Amino acid sequence: MGDGAVDDNGGVAGDQLVTPWNLSISSGHNLLRDPHHNKGLAFTERERDAHYLHGLLPPTVFTQELQEKKVMHLIRQYEVPLQRYIAMIDLQERNERLFYKLLVDHVEELLPVVYTPTVGEACQKFGSIFRRPQGLYISLKDKGQVLEVLRNWPQRFIQVIVVTDGERILGLGDLGCQGMGIPVGKLSLYTALGGVRPSACLPITIDVGTNNEKLLNDEFYIGLKQHRATGEEYAELLEEFMTAVKRNYGEKILVQFEDFANHNAFELLNKYHNTHLVFNDDIQGTASVVLAGLLSALKLLGGTLSDHTFLFLGAGEAGTGIAELIALQISKQTSVNVEEARKKIWLVDSKGLLVSSRKETLPHFKLPWAHEHEPINNLLDAVKEIKPTVLIGTSGVGRQFTQEVVEAMSSNNEKPLIMALSNPTSQAECTAEEAYTWSQGRAIFASGSPFDPMTYEDKVFVPGQANNAYIFPGFGLGLIMCGATRVHDDLLLAASEGLASQVTDENFAKGIIYPPYSCIRKISAHIAASVAAKAYELDLASVLPRPNDLVKFAESCMYSPTYPNYR
């Protein structure tokens, strides 16, 4: 270190450069600062002896259950959802296992806090609440050295990456680098709901700039202050990223694309689905969870999927992704080809019904849905003309299912199925109360964001939540546990069927088409088993021999957030 004079802080006085060496053994103060191993007041007397913790903690020893009770008591005192979110993130950075224990045991209460809808506000204010990095930031500045940046991440054994470029965060638009809240939140759910170990999860934000002028003019914005890179510059960075990921983590690393703008989302999925294990939650996860809702709703509606007519408001990633999976399922069940099956499905975008006379002006992903029909400019006329049995909203624009629209659906159907899927809650196409009231209690309703149960004419209605959190954690676990190398559409159908099979008669009696979140880990194990079984059937699995009981195997692979005992 040379002859420089050492100052009071143990550093070197003056401007001399110092190497920040740090030899760390997890004991004493370091152990309490390590979120992966810290147990706070739950360290036993024996552990306190062995790890030099006496005096660093008050003398009381708490159980994990008592800690959980105390933290939940504190969190419930916050009135503002964002304060609850910050309290949860603080806990995650302090005591990881306690964070996941809370999330697993109080999933219905805490899911809206760590994910939709609160995560949207967290992303909007991410620059202000940013404390310490929870994931990896790869920006245009790192071009040519993305592999080196990946190697800066401390964990070597990664099984799943969730990546965003922040261009289309929920219904909130371009939040640039602040979109990091989404991969962080998604991966918390991979662990809590799907049992993937936290150390095997890597959140990544690719910062190619932002077109959000408000952020560009904000002195506290944490990302690159330039307009978004597009075209070749964008494609080259993503290509380098995808190559580096596979090189660093191997063939079986699952890369989940999250909240990319439509054109990039479809392009990236098409480009990499044959060479990498990739999954787009907005296109495929949403499709799978909605199809599961439709399959279970048939118990209430009657008939098969092909007996129904579907009308979508919104023809972006989510809308076309769901529509394609429905067509695929109809095709499998009826042996008509997918082109024929698509004719049961109609989509309305901002310019009206997709019809063949508009083909010249439509982007490629909308073309399969432009059927022969007279042009129709608005949703209400489309409902009256097409007479759908199922109405699905994926528009990202709130309050589009007006009273007239719901009444038209109700006059055509004894039990109209209405799915208002746009997030967050403010963007939902209609509320649960509106759907039940305007349909005079006849609608079967599901939404993307949570709505409370409501009473209409003395009957209690419990709205279903078509949340991707039902699908992607179990889907990811299924891919990981069988060592899948590619995602095939049949795996998404298997996930939908796995989820639909978990809805009980008791749920149907309340009009619920999704099972309660309280048993989400059991549900995820069943979804994982369905996905793995299909992967083995299609020769996509590399973990051999195939385990006999896939549900048991899934459960045995799941991370447990209970504290271990230290030697």
Side-chain angles (χ1 to χ4, degrees):
M1 206 159 57
D3 302 323
V6 177
D7 66 16
D8 292 342
N9 298 317
V12 178
D15 295 329
Q16 190 173 337
L17 298 175
V18 176
T19 305
W21 291 115
N22 178 14
L23 182 64
S24 163
I25 294 167
S26 267
S27 62
H29 204 257
N30 285 336
L31 182 52
L32 298 179
R33 292 282 179 277
D34 177 356
H36 308 300
H37 300 109
N38 178 29
K39 305 201 295 190
L41 288 176
F43 283 112
T44 62
E45 290 292 345
R46 197 170 148 219
E47 288 170 333
R48 294 178 191 206
D49 281 341
H51 293 279
Y52 309 100
L53 293 172
H54 281 296
L56 300 179
L57 290 166
T60 305
V61 176
F62 276 14
T63 60
Q64 192 176 15
E65 288 63 37
L66 190 58
Q67 284 181 311
E68 192 178 351
K69 187 176 172 185
K70 177 185 160 191
V71 176
M72 282 309 295
H73 176 69
L74 288 171
I75 284 174
R76 286 173 182 143
Q77 295 196 356
Y78 290 117
E79 298 287 319
V80 181
L82 190 64
Q83 290 177 326
R84 293 181 172 200
Y85 174 89
I86 292 169
M88 285 297 286
I89 293 295
D90 280 350
L91 178 62
Q92 189 178 15
E93 291 178 355
R94 201 171 62 242
N95 182 335
E96 189 176 76
R97 282 180 189 268
L98 187 56
F99 168 84
Y100 284 114
K101 187 89 170 76
L102 250 68
L103 205 42
V104 169
D105 292 349
H106 303 273
V107 62
E108 282 165 312
E109 186 176 347
L110 293 177
L111 194 60
V113 175
V114 298
Y115 203 60
T116 344
T118 313
V119 73
E121 189 188 350
C123 286
Q124 286 175 309
K125 297 174 180 169
F126 204 75
S128 321
I129 61 176
F130 179 84
R131 281 174 167 68
R132 49 186 274 194
Q134 287 181 288
L136 210 51
Y137 294 85
I138 294 173
S139 79
L140 287 168
K141 289 180 178 175
D142 301 312
K143 213 164 175 198
Q145 49 194 23
V146 171
L147 186 60
E148 286 75 8
V149 174
L150 281 179
R151 286 178 176 156
N152 287 343
W153 188 250
Q155 304 291 348
R156 292 281 166 263
F157 184 65
I158 301 295
Q159 293 176 312
V160 56
I161 287 171
V162 175
V163 60
T164 188
D165 71 354
E167 188 167 3
R168 194 198 58 84
I169 298 296
L170 303 173
L172 303 168
D174 186 346
L175 298 182
C177 195
Q178 300 189 166
M180 180 56 104
I182 297 289
V184 168
K186 284 259 152 150
L187 285 168
S188 300
L189 302 188
Y190 257 109
T191 298
L193 316 185
V196 179
R197 283 178 305 102
S199 60
C201 297
L202 173 54
I204 295 183
T205 291
I206 294 186
D207 185 358
V208 294
T210 178
N211 294 337
N212 184 328
E213 293 300 328
K214 195 172 162 214
L215 293 178
L216 291 173
N217 295 321
D218 179 355
E219 63 175 324
F220 299 125
Y221 176 55
I222 57 176
L224 288 181
K225 290 203 172 176
Q226 64 178 68
H227 286 108
R228 277 189 175 274
T230 54
E232 211 170 301
E233 192 182 7
Y234 181 87
E236 281 172 5
L237 183 65
L238 267 293
E239 174 66 27
E240 186 187 346
F241 168 70
M242 293 303 289
T243 308
V245 157
K246 202 160 149 181
R247 191 162 156 203
N248 207 33
Y249 301 117
E251 189 78 21
K252 292 182 282 192
I253 176 77
L254 170 60
V255 178
Q256 178 168 313
F257 297 120
E258 199 64 48
D259 288 356
F260 284 76
N262 283 345
H263 52 285
N264 289 329
F266 285 106
E267 214 160 281
L268 291 168
L269 195 56
N270 289 337
K271 186 171 179 182
Y272 294 109
H273 78 281
N274 287 325
T275 57
H276 292 66
L277 183 66
V278 292
F279 171 68
N280 183 306
D281 193 41
D282 305 299
I283 299 172
Q284 296 166 297
T286 305
S288 188
V289 79
V290 173
L291 178 59
L294 296 174
L295 293 176
S296 69
L298 293 175
K299 297 254 176 70
L300 297 167
L301 297 172
T304 64
L305 213 53
S306 58
D307 296 328
H308 290 274
T309 305
F310 305 87
L311 179 64
F312 285 77
L313 177 67
E317 296 169 49
T320 54
I322 299 164
E324 191 59 35
L325 205 62
I326 294 171
L328 197 63
Q329 182 78 355
I330 290 175
S331 163
K332 292 245 183 250
Q333 288 177 343
T334 58
S335 71
V336 303
N337 62 30
V338 174
E339 287 73 19
E340 193 59 32
R342 286 186 187 129
K343 291 179 179 165
K344 307 286 294 178
I345 304 165
W346 298 82
L347 279 72
V348 171
D349 67 6
S350 57
K351 295 182 175 64
L353 192 67
L354 299 190
V355 290
S356 46
S357 59
R358 290 180 55 195
K359 278 188 172 173
E360 296 299 309
T361 59
L362 291 175
H364 68 94
F365 61 87
K366 292 185 185 182
L367 290 175
W369 311 103
H371 306 320
E372 283 296 328
H373 199 285
E374 289 302 305
I376 295 178
N377 295 332
N378 62 65
L379 178 65
L380 180 58
D381 290 345
V383 170
K384 288 176 176 171
E385 276 282 312
I386 307 289
K387 295 190 168 39
T389 50
V390 180
L391 180 63
I392 300 175
T394 58
S395 61
V397 184
R399 302 295 175 269
Q400 298 292 298
F401 292 173
T402 59
Q403 184 167 352
E404 292 78 12
V405 167
V406 174
E407 284 172 353
M409 280 295 294
S410 308
S411 67
N412 294 336
N413 302 288
E414 180 51 40
K415 285 183 178 170
L417 175 54
I418 295 172
M419 304 180 93
L421 301 178
S422 293
N423 288 321
T425 317
S426 57
Q427 305 305 114
E429 283 78 9
C430 69
T431 65
E433 187 178 354
E434 288 165 348
Y436 294 128
T437 308
W438 294 337
S439 67
Q440 295 168 341
R442 300 203 329 260
I444 299 164
F445 177 79
S447 55
S449 289
F451 283 102
D452 292 330
M454 66 154 288
T455 306
Y456 177 81
E457 290 186 352
D458 300 333
K459 188 175 175 199
V460 176
F461 290 89
V462 184
Q465 194 190 347
N467 191 322
N468 297 23
Y470 274 120
I471 287 285
F472 71 81
F475 187 77
L477 177 66
L479 296 173
I480 289 166
M481 77 186 205
C482 73
T485 49
R486 298 289 176 267
V487 170
H488 189 286
D489 282 341
D490 283 3
L491 303 184
L492 297 166
L493 298 178
S496 301
E497 286 163 5
L499 175 55
S501 72
Q502 296 301 297
V503 188
T504 63
D505 290 339
E506 194 187 332
N507 302 147
F508 288 128
K510 295 178 184 162
I512 309 176
I513 54 174
Y514 289 99
Y517 269 118
S518 47
C519 5
I520 186 69
R521 280 196 146 209
K522 177 176 154 283
I523 295 164
S524 290
H526 278 273
I527 291 171
S530 303
V531 169
K534 185 56 79 174
Y536 280 109
E537 194 186 306
L538 297 172
D539 265 348
L540 294 172
S542 63
V543 171
L544 298 168
R546 177 189 190 276
N548 291 331
D549 187 331
L550 286 169
V551 176
K552 276 213 173 85
F553 182 57
E555 286 169 344
S556 75
C557 292
M558 287 174 138
Y559 161 86
S560 164
T562 49
Y563 290 143
N565 293 318
Y566 296 134
R567 286 196 291 277

